[in-house]
């Protein structure tokens, strides 16, 4: 257990993965039990996710500095949004979170695909990337639904906190190509991003994850 509590290149994905799972579960709980002021918990949880992402990039000075900048900026925006209840800052907050998720996905992909041999940490990293991608698209859908009238059917155009859990659900359903159909894109731009996510999900599972698992099994057999 002590090894998990000490950061290293061999376990750096575990903290971010746990933080992402916790955020997704909290979003569901907020939507179920704490609608209204529950978005305050979501913003605090996202700050923790950002902190875990910065910790994950600790060994890379450039990405660590960029992540730290996103962490500080998003924290300040969240504080101002909570203190002054400035709805105009919601779009800026969501935009910062989306950019952070994109950068974190890219840095995680670089480590998983282009560094060293396949180990348990990289398999955890593959799970982490999947969660980052799903959350990234969920935040993108939330931004689009906030600014484009009738971008989606099945989701209210109210405060973003009332939409985020629905779009997390929609994003992962799309990413895994389940397509239940309760939420559907209604305008060309949202349809484009929806089928783009579905295509990414198919290739991610078929190529990246299968290759990582295959390489790991081959190593064990040798």
């Amino acid at each position: 257990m002590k090894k998990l509590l000490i950061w290293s290149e061999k376990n750096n994905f575990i903290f971010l993965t746990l933080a992402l799972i916790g955020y997704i579960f909290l979003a569901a709980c907020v939507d179920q039990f704490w609608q209204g002021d529950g978005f305050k918990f979501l913003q605090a949880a996202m700050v923790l996710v950002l902190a875990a992402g910065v910790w994950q990039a600790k060994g890379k000075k450039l990405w660590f500095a960029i992540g730290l900048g996103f962490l500080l900026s998003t924290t300040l925006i969240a504080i101002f949004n909570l203190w002054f209840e400035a709805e105009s800052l919601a779009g800026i907050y969501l935009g910062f979170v989306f950019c952070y998720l994109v950068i974190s996905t890219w840095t995680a992909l670089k480590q998983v695909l282009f560094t060293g041999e396949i180990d348990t940490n990289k398999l955890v990293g593959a799970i982490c990337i999947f969660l980052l991608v799903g959350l990234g698209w969920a935040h993108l859908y939330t931004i689009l639904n906030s600014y484009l009238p009738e971008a989606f059917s099945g989701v209210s155009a109210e405060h973003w906190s009332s939409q985020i859990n629905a779009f997390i659900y929609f994003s992962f359903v799309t990413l895994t190509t389940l397509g239940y159909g309760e939420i559907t894109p209604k305008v060309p731009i949202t349809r484009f991003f929806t089928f783009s996510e579905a295509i990414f999900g198919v290739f991610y599972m078929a190529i990246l994850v299968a290759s990582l698992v295959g390489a790991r099994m081959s190593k064990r057999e040798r």
Side-chain angles (χ1 to χ4, degrees), residues 185-198:
K186 295 181 63 176
V187 298
I189 190 67
T190 55
R191 289 172 183 166
F192 168 79
F193 284 116
T194 300
F195 72 68
S196 296
E197 184 179 14

Side-chain angles (χ1 to χ4, degrees), residues 74-206:
T74 306
T75 303
L76 289 175
I77 292 171
I79 291 173
F80 272 96
N81 194 17
L82 292 175
W83 188 266
F84 297 106
E85 298 183 355
E87 293 294 330
S88 59
L89 293 176
I92 300 174
Y93 166 80
L94 292 170
F96 266 89
V97 172
F98 172 72
C99 291
Y100 161 81
L101 292 170
V102 171
I103 292 174
S104 294
T105 302
W106 174 245
T107 56
L109 275 170
K110 287 179 65 177
Q111 182 176 343
V112 169
L113 293 177
F114 305 120
T115 59
E117 62 184 19
I118 305 302
D119 55 14
T120 303
N121 184 55
K122 287 194 174 182
L123 296 180
V124 175
I127 299 172
C128 183
I129 293 168
F130 191 81
L131 296 175
L132 285 168
V133 169
L135 276 179
W137 249 291
H139 281 77
L140 177 60
Y141 295 143
T142 305
I143 294 170
L144 291 173
N145 197 56
S146 298
Y147 291 98
L148 294 178
E150 299 183 351
F152 292 88
S153 63
V155 181
S156 63
E158 299 175 0
H159 192 273
W160 67 268
S161 63
S162 65
Q163 305 175 32
I164 189 65
N165 184 58
F167 281 122
I168 290 173
Y169 163 78
F170 173 71
S171 178
F172 283 103
V173 166
T174 302
L175 194 59
T176 54
T177 64
L178 290 175
Y180 289 132
E182 300 96 324
I183 303 171
T184 55
K186 295 181 63 176
V187 298
I189 190 67
T190 55
R191 289 172 183 166
F192 168 79
F193 284 116
T194 300
F195 72 68
S196 296
E197 184 179 14
I199 293 171
F200 179 90
V202 170
F203 278 91
Y204 183 83
M205 298 300 295

Side-chain angles (χ1 to χ4, degrees), residues 41-59:
F41 296 102
L42 283 180
Q43 288 184 313
M46 180 51 68
V47 169
L48 295 178
V49 171
L50 265 65
V54 172
W55 186 257
Q56 177 260 328
K58 186 179 178 182

